[in-house]
Amino acid sequence: MNDFHVRSGAVMALRLFDIAYSIDLKRIEGLARETSRGSTVRSSLLSAPVKSLAFDVPPVLVTLPPLMLPIRGRTLECPLTVRFYDFGVVAISLRFPAHDMPWSGYADFANAVDRAVGPGGSVTPWNDVLNGLRETFSPAFHRPNAALFEEDHLVTVVQEWEKPMTAAELQDSLDLVPLLSGESRPLADKAREELLRHRFSYYEDDLVVMTWDRAFIYEPRNDSDVAYILEVANAQLLEFRYYDELLDDELPRMYEMVRRARRPLTLLASRRFADLARRLYTLVAEVTELTEKAENVLRVTEDVYLARVYLAALGIFRVPTVSASVQEKLAIIRDTYAALYAEASSARGELLEFAIILLIVIEIGIALGNR
């Protein structure tokens, strides 16, 4: 264990917010130029071939001035970047540099960063950054959200050890559990096994280990693709979580509106059914559009290394499960829309029959009155 000395690395704190219904990425680029708020670039993967992984709509990466943040009694200069996704999510990333420290010190450093800027942390730069983004880029936000949903993730990166190490040597000799769990007490064997279950290597000298809220990456070539993929998967989770909870709130309201629409039929019954059906159709169309954008943000076309990492991240974050929940609730609303549309048609038919009968009665009355 004494041989494991981190020469160069970083701890990346990631916080994602669902900030709006959608974001105009071209407008983001224009506002960044107009305000000189930061440099922008359309994000792309560094090492993955286009035919294996490609963005449907590449997000916009904005590099902002670094923040000076206190960690363990020292003030660190932390590079700050923000990535805007067209389906309404912003991902804020803070990078805390780590140099020349033993492995135990590096693990302690990562845990200190998490305690400082993680949920409930002592240092809270996220709201200030978010308020600055709203002030500068709000014209690009379509239908901003009043209440924010958020996700966080901690990515620990080692780029260079004091002595060259292979992935096999790291896995055999290095205890990653304190870093990945954030726990100082020993974990049970089953918990350790579960924590280290998702491990990936492409070359003999790289390693990725992923958990629900943390990841360890050893990448001597300084590629950032794995960290980027973890961000994309978190962005998808956040978007599906938002719509899952939105539909959870919407279904009881829908049931109440349907109950009121089905009160004793009047001449306005057809209009009530039609108005409610249109409202439900609009909701289904909007949710379907945005969830499809989130689902297709990164297209996997070949089973290469990064594709496997991406699919594993989706599974760890339960993205397919939350997505399926959204689809089930959309199906309920679609069925209700179809039923309301049928009832609206039926009500219109009944109204037409009543009108015809009324006209017949009037004609008979007129005829009798002219005798």
Side-chain angles (χ1 to χ4, degrees):
M1 186 68 69
N2 293 331
D3 293 335
F4 292 95
H5 191 94
V6 177
R7 178 171 290 177
S8 176
V11 175
M12 298 166 57
L14 182 65
R15 187 67 62 92
L16 302 96
F17 298 91
D18 194 307
I19 199 170
Y21 172 75
S22 62
I23 298 175
D24 184 342
L25 300 185
K26 289 185 179 179
R27 191 78 178 101
I28 292 289
E29 294 171 316
L31 289 168
R33 287 193 299 269
E34 292 169 14
T35 61
S36 301
R37 186 75 169 85
S39 61
T40 66
V41 64
R42 283 287 178 142
S43 298
S44 62
L45 296 169
L46 296 179
S47 60
V50 173
K51 65 179 182 179
S52 62
L53 288 169
F55 283 99
D56 187 28
V57 179
V60 172
L61 178 68
V62 179
T63 301
L64 299 175
L67 299 183
M68 305 300 293
L69 297 175
I71 301 294
R72 294 201 305 183
R74 295 174 52 209
T75 299
L76 301 179
E77 182 178 292
C78 304
L80 171 65
T81 58
V82 179
R83 209 168 334 245
F84 293 88
Y85 293 85
D86 69 329
F87 49 84
V89 169
V90 295
I92 305 170
S93 178
L94 277 168
R95 187 181 182 93
F96 296 81
H99 301 287
D100 297 320
M101 58 180 66
W103 172 252
S104 58
Y106 177 75
D108 290 343
F109 175 70
N111 290 330
V113 168
D114 192 41
R115 287 192 298 270
V117 301
S122 57
V123 180
T124 55
W126 311 110
N127 288 337
D128 291 340
V129 174
L130 198 59
N131 290 337
L133 295 177
R134 283 173 161 160
E135 182 179 340
T136 303
F137 299 107
S138 60
F141 301 155
H142 177 47
R143 287 165 47 186
N145 294 333
L148 290 179
F149 274 68
E150 59 186 88
E151 283 288 341
D152 64 277
H153 205 77
L154 195 74
V155 181
T156 56
V157 181
V158 173
Q159 295 158 340
E160 184 181 4
W161 301 99
E162 190 171 63
K163 296 181 180 179
M165 298 287 176
T166 66
E169 290 173 329
L170 290 175
Q171 293 181 81
D172 290 341
S173 307
L174 188 64
D175 187 8
L176 292 169
V177 170
L179 177 70
L180 294 171
S181 67
E183 298 284 352
S184 57
R185 297 174 58 188
L187 299 187
D189 290 343
K190 193 68 176 177
R192 291 176 59 87
E193 179 183 338
E194 181 64 25
L195 202 66
L196 300 172
R197 186 158 64 94
H198 300 283
R199 292 175 288 184
F200 300 88
S201 291
Y202 188 71
Y203 298 106
E204 66 174 12
D205 62 346
D206 63 30
L207 177 65
V208 176
V209 187
M210 298 185 298
T211 70
W212 164 257
D213 59 352
R214 292 190 181 194
F216 170 75
I217 301 172
Y218 170 42
E219 179 49 78
R221 281 157 294 279
N222 201 26
D223 292 341
S224 60
D225 281 350
V226 171
Y228 191 179
I229 284 172
L230 292 173
E231 178 190 301
V232 172
N234 270 290
Q236 291 174 287
L237 170 63
L238 179 61
E239 186 72 357
F240 286 123
R241 269 191 56 224
Y242 171 79
Y243 282 107
D244 189 46
E245 298 205 20
L246 182 147
L247 294 176
D248 272 341
D249 294 337
E250 189 65 30
L251 286 175
R253 285 197 292 267
M254 182 192 73
Y255 296 143
E256 176 60 23
M257 287 186 292
V258 170
R259 186 191 65 79
R260 284 190 273 113
R262 284 174 171 161
R263 63 182 181 262
L265 291 179
T266 67
L267 293 177
L268 297 177
S270 174
R271 174 64 60 85
R272 290 201 307 270
F273 288 143
D275 288 346
L276 181 52
R278 278 194 296 272
R279 184 181 184 281
L280 296 180
Y281 177 80
T282 300
L283 175 64
V284 169
E286 290 182 349
V287 175
T288 300
E289 178 190 11
L290 269 295
T291 53
E292 284 182 352
K293 282 186 177 182
E295 190 167 9
N296 297 322
V297 60
L298 190 59
R299 297 181 181 273
V300 180
T301 57
E302 289 186 4
D303 189 21
V304 296
Y305 170 67
L306 284 176
R308 291 196 297 272
V309 172
Y310 173 57
L311 293 175
L314 293 178
I316 294 169
F317 301 156
R318 299 182 297 106
V319 174
T321 301
V322 183
S323 174
S325 176
V326 171
Q327 295 307 319
E328 288 173 4
K329 290 162 188 170
L330 285 176
I332 293 172
I333 296 176
R334 288 191 190 98
D335 292 343
T336 304
Y337 162 76
L340 285 172
Y341 184 81
E343 292 192 39
S345 299
S346 175
R348 282 194 295 268
E350 292 175 6
L351 182 61
L352 182 60
E353 290 175 3
F354 176 80
I356 292 172
I357 293 171
L358 182 61
L359 288 173
I360 292 173
V361 171
I362 292 173
E363 287 183 3
I364 292 173
I366 293 173
L368 291 175
N370 290 334
R371 285 187 175 184

